[in-house]
Amino acid sequence: MRNLDNELLTAEEEQIKEVIIASRKLEEYLWGEYNGQWNIEEWRRMFRKRIQKIDDIDVNNPHAIIEMRKRLMQNAALSVALMKILDDKGIPLNECNIPSNLPQYAKVEDEK
């Protein structure tokens, strides 16, 4: 793995760095106090919601690129937050005492 602190970054790498830092700061501001309390299912619901929102973007809308960037930044922020939890605590299997605000994104088990 490259040490990005001591090397010059390409323009693309610099943009990646800036986007992830900015999105992570925003996510931490909005949800930071809850990050350690959610279990893996709630994290999955958050990702499912963002994927659904990306699927719902009308590419013919003149603001589609802005909407896509927003959703991608949200996914980047969620990814970084969850990676930190995975590194510190492992997969969060704890019972979550916070009611989900995303019940509609629960995994639907196949009926057999």
Side-chain angles (χ1 to χ4, degrees):
M1 178 180 250
R2 288 180 31 193
N3 181 349
L4 298 180
D5 291 331
N6 297 329
E7 286 187 40
L8 290 177
L9 301 178
T10 66
E12 180 182 23
E13 290 168 333
E14 190 61 45
Q15 183 177 22
I16 290 168
K17 179 181 169 185
E18 288 179 28
V19 165
I20 289 177
I21 290 170
S23 61
R24 182 67 186 105
K25 285 180 181 179
L26 180 58
E27 190 277 335
E28 184 67 28
Y29 173 76
L30 294 172
W31 296 104
E33 67 186 282
Y34 301 107
N35 284 350
Q37 299 177 50
W38 289 322
N39 60 20
I40 193 64
E41 179 53 30
E42 192 64 15
W43 284 97
R44 289 174 176 157
R45 290 176 188 191
M46 288 185 272
F47 282 105
R48 286 184 198 115
K49 176 184 178 183
R50 299 312 181 281
I51 296 300
Q52 184 60 54
K53 295 293 186 179
I54 288 170
D55 286 345
D56 292 344
I57 294 171
D58 177 359
V59 295
N60 295 313
N61 182 314
H63 303 292
I65 291 175
I66 295 167
E67 189 66 23
M68 183 69 74
R69 284 181 177 164
K70 179 174 104 175
R71 299 303 175 188
L72 292 171
M73 287 184 70
Q74 288 172 330
N75 274 335
L78 287 174
S79 296
V80 171
L82 183 54
M83 283 191 283
K84 174 78 170 122
I85 290 169
L86 294 173
D87 287 347
D88 291 348
K89 301 176 186 176
I91 296 175
L93 299 173
N94 55 308
E95 185 174 329
C96 187
N97 296 322
I98 302 169
S100 177
N101 70 335
L102 302 170
Q104 68 274 33
Y105 295 99
K107 185 175 181 180
V108 178
E109 296 295 325
D110 294 336
E111 294 181 23
K112 292 184 181 184

PDB file of all heavy atoms in Angstrom, residues 53-88:
ATOM      1  N   LYS A  53     -31.666   4.653  -4.106  1.00  0.00           N
ATOM      2  CA  LYS A  53     -31.698   6.052  -4.543  1.00  0.00           C
ATOM      3  C   LYS A  53     -30.889   6.244  -5.831  1.00  0.00           C
ATOM      4  O   LYS A  53     -31.277   7.029  -6.693  1.00  0.00           O
ATOM      5  CB  LYS A  53     -31.167   6.978  -3.440  1.00  0.00           C
ATOM      6  CG  LYS A  53     -32.021   7.006  -2.202  1.00  0.00           C
ATOM      7  CD  LYS A  53     -33.357   7.630  -2.478  1.00  0.00           C
ATOM      8  CE  LYS A  53     -34.155   7.793  -1.212  1.00  0.00           C
ATOM      9  NZ  LYS A  53     -35.451   8.426  -1.448  1.00  0.00           N
ATOM     10  N   ILE A  54     -29.780   5.529  -5.968  1.00  0.00           N
ATOM     11  CA  ILE A  54     -29.003   5.595  -7.210  1.00  0.00           C
ATOM     12  C   ILE A  54     -29.819   4.996  -8.352  1.00  0.00           C
ATOM     13  O   ILE A  54     -29.872   5.566  -9.449  1.00  0.00           O
ATOM     14  CB  ILE A  54     -27.645   4.876  -7.040  1.00  0.00           C
ATOM     15  CG1 ILE A  54     -26.730   5.709  -6.138  1.00  0.00           C
ATOM     16  CG2 ILE A  54     -26.988   4.620  -8.405  1.00  0.00           C
ATOM     17  CD1 ILE A  54     -25.463   5.009  -5.709  1.00  0.00           C
ATOM     18  N   ASP A  55     -30.475   3.864  -8.103  1.00  0.00           N
ATOM     19  CA  ASP A  55     -31.323   3.240  -9.138  1.00  0.00           C
ATOM     20  C   ASP A  55     -32.447   4.170  -9.572  1.00  0.00           C
ATOM     21  O   ASP A  55     -32.874   4.136 -10.725  1.00  0.00           O
ATOM     22  CB  ASP A  55     -31.926   1.932  -8.631  1.00  0.00           C
ATOM     23  CG  ASP A  55     -30.932   0.798  -8.566  1.00  0.00           C
ATOM     24  OD1 ASP A  55     -29.847   0.915  -9.167  1.00  0.00           O
ATOM     25  OD2 ASP A  55     -31.243  -0.219  -7.913  1.00  0.00           O
ATOM     26  N   ASP A  56     -32.928   5.007  -8.660  1.00  0.00           N
ATOM     27  CA  ASP A  56     -34.068   5.886  -8.942  1.00  0.00           C
ATOM     28  C   ASP A  56     -33.697   7.162  -9.690  1.00  0.00           C
ATOM     29  O   ASP A  56     -34.581   7.902 -10.122  1.00  0.00           O
ATOM     30  CB  ASP A  56     -34.768   6.277  -7.631  1.00  0.00           C
ATOM     31  CG  ASP A  56     -35.460   5.098  -6.967  1.00  0.00           C
ATOM     32  OD1 ASP A  56     -35.675   4.055  -7.635  1.00  0.00           O
ATOM     33  OD2 ASP A  56     -35.781   5.213  -5.769  1.00  0.00           O
ATOM     34  N   ILE A  57     -32.416   7.421  -9.846  1.00  0.00           N
ATOM     35  CA  ILE A  57     -32.003   8.665 -10.511  1.00  0.00           C
ATOM     36  C   ILE A  57     -32.382   8.611 -11.991  1.00  0.00           C
ATOM     37  O   ILE A  57     -32.031   7.677 -12.703  1.00  0.00           O
ATOM     38  CB  ILE A  57     -30.489   8.902 -10.356  1.00  0.00           C
ATOM     39  CG1 ILE A  57     -30.153   9.150  -8.888  1.00  0.00           C
ATOM     40  CG2 ILE A  57     -30.030  10.081 -11.234  1.00  0.00           C
ATOM     41  CD1 ILE A  57     -28.669   9.187  -8.599  1.00  0.00           C
ATOM     42  N   ASP A  58     -33.107   9.617 -12.424  1.00  0.00           N
ATOM     43  CA  ASP A  58     -33.484   9.757 -13.830  1.00  0.00           C
ATOM     44  C   ASP A  58     -32.316  10.420 -14.553  1.00  0.00           C
ATOM     45  O   ASP A  58     -32.028  11.603 -14.339  1.00  0.00           O
ATOM     46  CB  ASP A  58     -34.739  10.616 -13.944  1.00  0.00           C
ATOM     47  CG  ASP A  58     -35.166  10.888 -15.368  1.00  0.00           C
ATOM     48  OD1 ASP A  58     -34.485  10.423 -16.323  1.00  0.00           O
ATOM     49  OD2 ASP A  58     -36.183  11.582 -15.551  1.00  0.00           O
ATOM     50  N   VAL A  59     -31.633   9.675 -15.406  1.00  0.00           N
ATOM     51  CA  VAL A  59     -30.444  10.209 -16.078  1.00  0.00           C
ATOM     52  C   VAL A  59     -30.774  11.337 -17.055  1.00  0.00           C
ATOM     53  O   VAL A  59     -29.870  12.051 -17.491  1.00  0.00           O
ATOM     54  CB  VAL A  59     -29.645   9.092 -16.784  1.00  0.00           C
ATOM     55  CG1 VAL A  59     -29.089   8.113 -15.764  1.00  0.00           C
ATOM     56  CG2 VAL A  59     -30.478   8.388 -17.827  1.00  0.00           C
ATOM     57  N   ASN A  60     -32.040  11.498 -17.370  1.00  0.00           N
ATOM     58  CA  ASN A  60     -32.452  12.597 -18.248  1.00  0.00           C
ATOM     59  C   ASN A  60     -32.685  13.892 -17.482  1.00  0.00           C
ATOM     60  O   ASN A  60     -32.866  14.944 -18.090  1.00  0.00           O
ATOM     61  CB  ASN A  60     -33.711  12.210 -19.024  1.00  0.00           C
ATOM     62  CG  ASN A  60     -33.437  11.059 -19.958  1.00  0.00           C
ATOM     63  OD1 ASN A  60     -32.446  11.056 -20.680  1.00  0.00           O
ATOM     64  ND2 ASN A  60     -34.293  10.055 -19.925  1.00  0.00           N
ATOM     65  N   ASN A  61     -32.692  13.826 -16.171  1.00  0.00           N
ATOM     66  CA  ASN A  61     -32.854  15.010 -15.345  1.00  0.00           C
ATOM     67  C   ASN A  61     -31.582  15.850 -15.458  1.00  0.00           C
ATOM     68  O   ASN A  61     -30.474  15.318 -15.360  1.00  0.00           O
ATOM     69  CB  ASN A  61     -33.087  14.582 -13.891  1.00  0.00           C
ATOM     70  CG  ASN A  61     -33.315  15.753 -12.967  1.00  0.00           C
ATOM     71  OD1 ASN A  61     -32.609  16.744 -12.995  1.00  0.00           O
ATOM     72  ND2 ASN A  61     -34.307  15.606 -12.109  1.00  0.00           N
ATOM     73  N   PRO A  62     -31.709  17.154 -15.653  1.00  0.00           N
ATOM     74  CA  PRO A  62     -30.506  17.981 -15.798  1.00  0.00           C
ATOM     75  C   PRO A  62     -29.624  18.000 -14.544  1.00  0.00           C
ATOM     76  O   PRO A  62     -28.457  18.372 -14.615  1.00  0.00           O
ATOM     77  CB  PRO A  62     -31.048  19.380 -16.116  1.00  0.00           C
ATOM     78  CG  PRO A  62     -32.482  19.348 -15.746  1.00  0.00           C
ATOM     79  CD  PRO A  62     -32.938  17.933 -15.805  1.00  0.00           C
ATOM     80  N   HIS A  63     -30.154  17.581 -13.417  1.00  0.00           N
ATOM     81  CA  HIS A  63     -29.398  17.556 -12.169  1.00  0.00           C
ATOM     82  C   HIS A  63     -28.975  16.144 -11.777  1.00  0.00           C
ATOM     83  O   HIS A  63     -28.567  15.901 -10.644  1.00  0.00           O
ATOM     84  CB  HIS A  63     -30.222  18.184 -11.043  1.00  0.00           C
ATOM     85  CG  HIS A  63     -30.660  19.576 -11.343  1.00  0.00           C
ATOM     86  ND1 HIS A  63     -29.778  20.633 -11.423  1.00  0.00           N
ATOM     87  CD2 HIS A  63     -31.888  20.086 -11.616  1.00  0.00           C
ATOM     88  CE1 HIS A  63     -30.442  21.735 -11.724  1.00  0.00           C
ATOM     89  NE2 HIS A  63     -31.721  21.437 -11.860  1.00  0.00           N
ATOM     90  N   ALA A  64     -29.043  15.211 -12.704  1.00  0.00           N
ATOM     91  CA  ALA A  64     -28.737  13.810 -12.406  1.00  0.00           C
ATOM     92  C   ALA A  64     -27.308  13.629 -11.902  1.00  0.00           C
ATOM     93  O   ALA A  64     -27.069  12.836 -10.990  1.00  0.00           O
ATOM     94  CB  ALA A  64     -28.978  12.940 -13.643  1.00  0.00           C
ATOM     95  N   ILE A  65     -26.372  14.351 -12.459  1.00  0.00           N
ATOM     96  CA  ILE A  65     -24.976  14.206 -12.031  1.00  0.00           C
ATOM     97  C   ILE A  65     -24.808  14.644 -10.579  1.00  0.00           C
ATOM     98  O   ILE A  65     -24.113  13.982  -9.800  1.00  0.00           O
ATOM     99  CB  ILE A  65     -24.028  14.991 -12.969  1.00  0.00           C
ATOM    100  CG1 ILE A  65     -23.992  14.298 -14.334  1.00  0.00           C
ATOM    101  CG2 ILE A  65     -22.635  15.109 -12.374  1.00  0.00           C
ATOM    102  CD1 ILE A  65     -23.200  15.045 -15.380  1.00  0.00           C
ATOM    103  N   ILE A  66     -25.458  15.731 -10.217  1.00  0.00           N
ATOM    104  CA  ILE A  66     -25.380  16.210  -8.826  1.00  0.00           C
ATOM    105  C   ILE A  66     -25.979  15.175  -7.888  1.00  0.00           C
ATOM    106  O   ILE A  66     -25.396  14.855  -6.845  1.00  0.00           O
ATOM    107  CB  ILE A  66     -26.091  17.571  -8.683  1.00  0.00           C
ATOM    108  CG1 ILE A  66     -25.348  18.620  -9.507  1.00  0.00           C
ATOM    109  CG2 ILE A  66     -26.202  17.982  -7.213  1.00  0.00           C
ATOM    110  CD1 ILE A  66     -26.109  19.906  -9.707  1.00  0.00           C
ATOM    111  N   GLU A  67     -27.125  14.649  -8.249  1.00  0.00           N
ATOM    112  CA  GLU A  67     -27.778  13.628  -7.425  1.00  0.00           C
ATOM    113  C   GLU A  67     -26.903  12.377  -7.320  1.00  0.00           C
ATOM    114  O   GLU A  67     -26.771  11.796  -6.236  1.00  0.00           O
ATOM    115  CB  GLU A  67     -29.149  13.277  -8.019  1.00  0.00           C
ATOM    116  CG  GLU A  67     -29.995  12.407  -7.138  1.00  0.00           C
ATOM    117  CD  GLU A  67     -30.436  13.067  -5.842  1.00  0.00           C
ATOM    118  OE1 GLU A  67     -30.476  14.305  -5.759  1.00  0.00           O
ATOM    119  OE2 GLU A  67     -30.739  12.319  -4.889  1.00  0.00           O
ATOM    120  N   MET A  68     -26.292  11.967  -8.403  1.00  0.00           N
ATOM    121  CA  MET A  68     -25.420  10.796  -8.386  1.00  0.00           C
ATOM    122  C   MET A  68     -24.210  11.042  -7.486  1.00  0.00           C
ATOM    123  O   MET A  68     -23.838  10.184  -6.677  1.00  0.00           O
ATOM    124  CB  MET A  68     -24.963  10.459  -9.809  1.00  0.00           C
ATOM    125  CG  MET A  68     -24.105   9.220  -9.904  1.00  0.00           C
ATOM    126  SD  MET A  68     -24.986   7.690  -9.574  1.00  0.00           S
ATOM    127  CE  MET A  68     -25.933   7.524 -11.078  1.00  0.00           C
ATOM    128  N   ARG A  69     -23.603  12.217  -7.598  1.00  0.00           N
ATOM    129  CA  ARG A  69     -22.455  12.545  -6.744  1.00  0.00           C
ATOM    130  C   ARG A  69     -22.850  12.493  -5.267  1.00  0.00           C
ATOM    131  O   ARG A  69     -22.099  11.992  -4.431  1.00  0.00           O
ATOM    132  CB  ARG A  69     -21.912  13.931  -7.076  1.00  0.00           C
ATOM    133  CG  ARG A  69     -21.113  13.975  -8.334  1.00  0.00           C
ATOM    134  CD  ARG A  69     -20.597  15.363  -8.569  1.00  0.00           C
ATOM    135  NE  ARG A  69     -19.760  15.398  -9.760  1.00  0.00           N
ATOM    136  CZ  ARG A  69     -19.416  16.502 -10.375  1.00  0.00           C
ATOM    137  NH1 ARG A  69     -19.810  17.672  -9.917  1.00  0.00           N
ATOM    138  NH2 ARG A  69     -18.663  16.451 -11.445  1.00  0.00           N
ATOM    139  N   LYS A  70     -24.007  13.044  -4.962  1.00  0.00           N
ATOM    140  CA  LYS A  70     -24.485  13.056  -3.577  1.00  0.00           C
ATOM    141  C   LYS A  70     -24.598  11.637  -3.033  1.00  0.00           C
ATOM    142  O   LYS A  70     -24.117  11.338  -1.939  1.00  0.00           O
ATOM    143  CB  LYS A  70     -25.830  13.775  -3.500  1.00  0.00           C
ATOM    144  CG  LYS A  70     -26.428  13.817  -2.107  1.00  0.00           C
ATOM    145  CD  LYS A  70     -27.673  14.680  -2.102  1.00  0.00           C
ATOM    146  CE  LYS A  70     -28.897  13.843  -2.064  1.00  0.00           C
ATOM    147  NZ  LYS A  70     -30.139  14.627  -1.951  1.00  0.00           N
ATOM    148  N   ARG A  71     -25.220  10.763  -3.789  1.00  0.00           N
ATOM    149  CA  ARG A  71     -25.419   9.376  -3.339  1.00  0.00           C
ATOM    150  C   ARG A  71     -24.094   8.627  -3.250  1.00  0.00           C
ATOM    151  O   ARG A  71     -23.878   7.835  -2.330  1.00  0.00           O
ATOM    152  CB  ARG A  71     -26.384   8.645  -4.263  1.00  0.00           C
ATOM    153  CG  ARG A  71     -27.767   9.265  -4.328  1.00  0.00           C
ATOM    154  CD  ARG A  71     -28.408   9.359  -2.968  1.00  0.00           C
ATOM    155  NE  ARG A  71     -29.676  10.074  -3.069  1.00  0.00           N
ATOM    156  CZ  ARG A  71     -30.396  10.448  -2.042  1.00  0.00           C
ATOM    157  NH1 ARG A  71     -29.995  10.184  -0.820  1.00  0.00           N
ATOM    158  NH2 ARG A  71     -31.526  11.080  -2.208  1.00  0.00           N
ATOM    159  N   LEU A  72     -23.195   8.874  -4.188  1.00  0.00           N
ATOM    160  CA  LEU A  72     -21.887   8.222  -4.135  1.00  0.00           C
ATOM    161  C   LEU A  72     -21.080   8.701  -2.931  1.00  0.00           C
ATOM    162  O   LEU A  72     -20.401   7.908  -2.269  1.00  0.00           O
ATOM    163  CB  LEU A  72     -21.122   8.456  -5.434  1.00  0.00           C
ATOM    164  CG  LEU A  72     -21.724   7.766  -6.666  1.00  0.00           C
ATOM    165  CD1 LEU A  72     -21.023   8.236  -7.930  1.00  0.00           C
ATOM    166  CD2 LEU A  72     -21.663   6.258  -6.527  1.00  0.00           C
ATOM    167  N   MET A  73     -21.167   9.985  -2.636  1.00  0.00           N
ATOM    168  CA  MET A  73     -20.481  10.502  -1.452  1.00  0.00           C
ATOM    169  C   MET A  73     -21.065   9.901  -0.183  1.00  0.00           C
ATOM    170  O   MET A  73     -20.329   9.586   0.757  1.00  0.00           O
ATOM    171  CB  MET A  73     -20.539  12.031  -1.414  1.00  0.00           C
ATOM    172  CG  MET A  73     -19.632  12.679  -2.429  1.00  0.00           C
ATOM    173  SD  MET A  73     -19.603  14.473  -2.316  1.00  0.00           S
ATOM    174  CE  MET A  73     -18.741  14.703  -0.766  1.00  0.00           C
ATOM    175  N   GLN A  74     -22.371   9.736  -0.144  1.00  0.00           N
ATOM    176  CA  GLN A  74     -22.984   9.110   1.022  1.00  0.00           C
ATOM    177  C   GLN A  74     -22.478   7.677   1.189  1.00  0.00           C
ATOM    178  O   GLN A  74     -22.168   7.251   2.309  1.00  0.00           O
ATOM    179  CB  GLN A  74     -24.506   9.114   0.904  1.00  0.00           C
ATOM    180  CG  GLN A  74     -25.115  10.483   1.084  1.00  0.00           C
ATOM    181  CD  GLN A  74     -26.603  10.496   0.781  1.00  0.00           C
ATOM    182  OE1 GLN A  74     -27.099   9.723  -0.034  1.00  0.00           O
ATOM    183  NE2 GLN A  74     -27.308  11.395   1.436  1.00  0.00           N
ATOM    184  N   ASN A  75     -22.382   6.946   0.097  1.00  0.00           N
ATOM    185  CA  ASN A  75     -21.866   5.579   0.182  1.00  0.00           C
ATOM    186  C   ASN A  75     -20.405   5.567   0.626  1.00  0.00           C
ATOM    187  O   ASN A  75     -19.998   4.702   1.404  1.00  0.00           O
ATOM    188  CB  ASN A  75     -22.023   4.846  -1.147  1.00  0.00           C
ATOM    189  CG  ASN A  75     -23.380   4.204  -1.282  1.00  0.00           C
ATOM    190  OD1 ASN A  75     -24.031   3.884  -0.301  1.00  0.00           O
ATOM    191  ND2 ASN A  75     -23.823   3.990  -2.506  1.00  0.00           N
ATOM    192  N   ALA A  76     -19.627   6.513   0.139  1.00  0.00           N
ATOM    193  CA  ALA A  76     -18.226   6.592   0.562  1.00  0.00           C
ATOM    194  C   ALA A  76     -18.140   6.860   2.062  1.00  0.00           C
ATOM    195  O   ALA A  76     -17.361   6.221   2.781  1.00  0.00           O
ATOM    196  CB  ALA A  76     -17.495   7.678  -0.226  1.00  0.00           C
ATOM    197  N   ALA A  77     -18.950   7.779   2.548  1.00  0.00           N
ATOM    198  CA  ALA A  77     -18.941   8.106   3.976  1.00  0.00           C
ATOM    199  C   ALA A  77     -19.378   6.917   4.817  1.00  0.00           C
ATOM    200  O   ALA A  77     -18.770   6.618   5.850  1.00  0.00           O
ATOM    201  CB  ALA A  77     -19.851   9.305   4.241  1.00  0.00           C
ATOM    202  N   LEU A  78     -20.433   6.239   4.387  1.00  0.00           N
ATOM    203  CA  LEU A  78     -20.881   5.043   5.109  1.00  0.00           C
ATOM    204  C   LEU A  78     -19.794   3.975   5.111  1.00  0.00           C
ATOM    205  O   LEU A  78     -19.556   3.324   6.134  1.00  0.00           O
ATOM    206  CB  LEU A  78     -22.156   4.473   4.475  1.00  0.00           C
ATOM    207  CG  LEU A  78     -23.442   5.244   4.693  1.00  0.00           C
ATOM    208  CD1 LEU A  78     -24.568   4.615   3.879  1.00  0.00           C
ATOM    209  CD2 LEU A  78     -23.809   5.296   6.158  1.00  0.00           C
ATOM    210  N   SER A  79     -19.149   3.800   3.988  1.00  0.00           N
ATOM    211  CA  SER A  79     -18.098   2.786   3.882  1.00  0.00           C
ATOM    212  C   SER A  79     -16.959   3.068   4.852  1.00  0.00           C
ATOM    213  O   SER A  79     -16.501   2.169   5.570  1.00  0.00           O
ATOM    214  CB  SER A  79     -17.555   2.725   2.453  1.00  0.00           C
ATOM    215  OG  SER A  79     -18.554   2.302   1.565  1.00  0.00           O
ATOM    216  N   VAL A  80     -16.500   4.301   4.887  1.00  0.00           N
ATOM    217  CA  VAL A  80     -15.395   4.656   5.766  1.00  0.00           C
ATOM    218  C   VAL A  80     -15.809   4.497   7.230  1.00  0.00           C
ATOM    219  O   VAL A  80     -15.051   3.957   8.045  1.00  0.00           O
ATOM    220  CB  VAL A  80     -14.889   6.088   5.474  1.00  0.00           C
ATOM    221  CG1 VAL A  80     -13.887   6.549   6.515  1.00  0.00           C
ATOM    222  CG2 VAL A  80     -14.285   6.151   4.085  1.00  0.00           C
ATOM    223  N   ALA A  81     -17.005   4.920   7.576  1.00  0.00           N
ATOM    224  CA  ALA A  81     -17.476   4.789   8.961  1.00  0.00           C
ATOM    225  C   ALA A  81     -17.552   3.323   9.376  1.00  0.00           C
ATOM    226  O   ALA A  81     -17.105   2.948  10.463  1.00  0.00           O
ATOM    227  CB  ALA A  81     -18.844   5.456   9.109  1.00  0.00           C
ATOM    228  N   LEU A  82     -18.099   2.485   8.507  1.00  0.00           N
ATOM    229  CA  LEU A  82     -18.216   1.068   8.845  1.00  0.00           C
ATOM    230  C   LEU A  82     -16.847   0.394   8.875  1.00  0.00           C
ATOM    231  O   LEU A  82     -16.593  -0.453   9.743  1.00  0.00           O
ATOM    232  CB  LEU A  82     -19.160   0.355   7.875  1.00  0.00           C
ATOM    233  CG  LEU A  82     -19.421  -1.124   8.180  1.00  0.00           C
ATOM    234  CD1 LEU A  82     -19.921  -1.333   9.614  1.00  0.00           C
ATOM    235  CD2 LEU A  82     -20.436  -1.687   7.182  1.00  0.00           C
ATOM    236  N   MET A  83     -15.936   0.782   7.987  1.00  0.00           N
ATOM    237  CA  MET A  83     -14.590   0.199   8.022  1.00  0.00           C
ATOM    238  C   MET A  83     -13.900   0.509   9.346  1.00  0.00           C
ATOM    239  O   MET A  83     -13.210  -0.344   9.913  1.00  0.00           O
ATOM    240  CB  MET A  83     -13.746   0.687   6.846  1.00  0.00           C
ATOM    241  CG  MET A  83     -14.115  -0.017   5.549  1.00  0.00           C
ATOM    242  SD  MET A  83     -12.955   0.297   4.213  1.00  0.00           S
ATOM    243  CE  MET A  83     -13.448   1.927   3.719  1.00  0.00           C
ATOM    244  N   LYS A  84     -14.090   1.702   9.867  1.00  0.00           N
ATOM    245  CA  LYS A  84     -13.502   2.071  11.164  1.00  0.00           C
ATOM    246  C   LYS A  84     -14.071   1.178  12.262  1.00  0.00           C
ATOM    247  O   LYS A  84     -13.330   0.672  13.110  1.00  0.00           O
ATOM    248  CB  LYS A  84     -13.787   3.546  11.450  1.00  0.00           C
ATOM    249  CG  LYS A  84     -13.360   4.018  12.811  1.00  0.00           C
ATOM    250  CD  LYS A  84     -11.872   4.253  12.865  1.00  0.00           C
ATOM    251  CE  LYS A  84     -11.493   4.966  14.150  1.00  0.00           C
ATOM    252  NZ  LYS A  84     -10.543   4.241  14.941  1.00  0.00           N
ATOM    253  N   ILE A  85     -15.360   0.952  12.244  1.00  0.00           N
ATOM    254  CA  ILE A  85     -15.987   0.086  13.240  1.00  0.00           C
ATOM    255  C   ILE A  85     -15.484  -1.346  13.099  1.00  0.00           C
ATOM    256  O   ILE A  85     -15.170  -2.007  14.091  1.00  0.00           O
ATOM    257  CB  ILE A  85     -17.527   0.160  13.129  1.00  0.00           C
ATOM    258  CG1 ILE A  85     -17.994   1.531  13.615  1.00  0.00           C
ATOM    259  CG2 ILE A  85     -18.200  -0.956  13.927  1.00  0.00           C
ATOM    260  CD1 ILE A  85     -19.441   1.844  13.311  1.00  0.00           C
ATOM    261  N   LEU A  86     -15.386  -1.825  11.862  1.00  0.00           N
ATOM    262  CA  LEU A  86     -14.874  -3.182  11.641  1.00  0.00           C
ATOM    263  C   LEU A  86     -13.453  -3.320  12.176  1.00  0.00           C
ATOM    264  O   LEU A  86     -13.110  -4.335  12.799  1.00  0.00           O
ATOM    265  CB  LEU A  86     -14.913  -3.525  10.151  1.00  0.00           C
ATOM    266  CG  LEU A  86     -16.290  -3.624   9.508  1.00  0.00           C
ATOM    267  CD1 LEU A  86     -16.160  -3.787   8.009  1.00  0.00           C
ATOM    268  CD2 LEU A  86     -17.115  -4.734  10.118  1.00  0.00           C
ATOM    269  N   ASP A  87     -12.627  -2.312  11.954  1.00  0.00           N
ATOM    270  CA  ASP A  87     -11.245  -2.350  12.439  1.00  0.00           C
ATOM    271  C   ASP A  87     -11.179  -2.309  13.963  1.00  0.00           C
ATOM    272  O   ASP A  87     -10.345  -2.976  14.571  1.00  0.00           O
ATOM    273  CB  ASP A  87     -10.431  -1.188  11.868  1.00  0.00           C
ATOM    274  CG  ASP A  87     -10.109  -1.360  10.396  1.00  0.00           C
ATOM    275  OD1 ASP A  87     -10.299  -2.478   9.859  1.00  0.00           O
ATOM    276  OD2 ASP A  87      -9.679  -0.365   9.774  1.00  0.00           O
ATOM    277  N   ASP A  88     -12.042  -1.520  14.580  1.00  0.00           N
ATOM    278  CA  ASP A  88     -11.999  -1.340  16.030  1.00  0.00           C
ATOM    279  C   ASP A  88     -12.735  -2.444  16.796  1.00  0.00           C
ATOM    280  O   ASP A  88     -12.278  -2.867  17.852  1.00  0.00           O
ATOM    281  CB  ASP A  88     -12.620   0.004  16.424  1.00  0.00           C
ATOM    282  CG  ASP A  88     -11.771   1.183  15.985  1.00  0.00           C
ATOM    283  OD1 ASP A  88     -10.606   0.986  15.591  1.00  0.00           O
ATOM    284  OD2 ASP A  88     -12.288   2.319  16.028  1.00  0.00           O
TER     285      ASP A  88
END
